[in-house]
Amino acid sequence: WLALGKSARADRLPRIFYVNWFRKDEDGRFLWPGFGENSRVLEWVFRRCEGTGQAQESPIGRVPVPGAINTEGLKLAPGALEELLRVDPQEWKAQLPQFREHLAGFENLPDELREQLDALAGRLGD
């Protein structure tokens, strides 16, 4: 059980990463090559936690900069990594009702989580 509160030390709070391994291209093919390659993204996550993984700001938070994820020897379709890292505010905005519905199912949800969702909505222009 993790209690989040205004008195919680920021350096002790969990880091949260969102990954969608199942994004597809316009032809319905997965953009990411599969589970065996997920360690490449996790490597970046660990480097972020250590303070060395490079990222850039986006409306949804920080995303890897081009070249931050090791793709050496990886067979990716041209433009696939760029598409995987692309943040479309309209797509995220369309998901906000589902996020709110999901969080509404939790009793004693910390106010900070609702505040973060409201802040996300604001950054997306909702």
Side-chain angles (χ1 to χ4, degrees), residues 2-16 49 112:
L2 174 65
L4 298 177
K6 298 224 184 266
S7 64
R9 289 182 33 206
D11 65 333
R12 305 271 328 234
L13 295 175
R15 293 187 171 97
I16 299 172
C49 291
E112 290 85 356

Side-chain angles (χ1 to χ4, degrees), residues 35-111:
F35 296 112
E37 303 299 345
N38 292 355
S39 61
R40 294 169 183 266
V41 176
L42 294 174
E43 176 188 23
W44 176 81
V45 166
F46 293 136
R47 284 189 280 124
R48 285 292 303 154
C49 291
E50 294 168 348
T52 61
Q54 295 181 314
Q56 59 191 356
E57 291 293 331
S58 80
I60 63 167
R62 295 176 187 98
V63 296
V65 298
I69 295 176
N70 175 9
T71 58
E72 186 177 330
L74 190 61
K75 293 180 182 176
L76 283 176
L81 189 60
E82 291 79 10
E83 179 62 20
L84 284 164
L85 299 177
R86 181 182 63 81
V87 175
D88 182 337
Q90 295 306 315
E91 289 176 5
W92 278 83
K93 195 173 176 178
Q95 296 295 314
L96 286 174
Q98 292 175 26
F99 295 156
R100 291 187 191 285
E101 181 181 339
H102 178 72
L103 292 178
F106 293 94
E107 292 182 29
N108 303 317
L109 186 72
D111 290 338

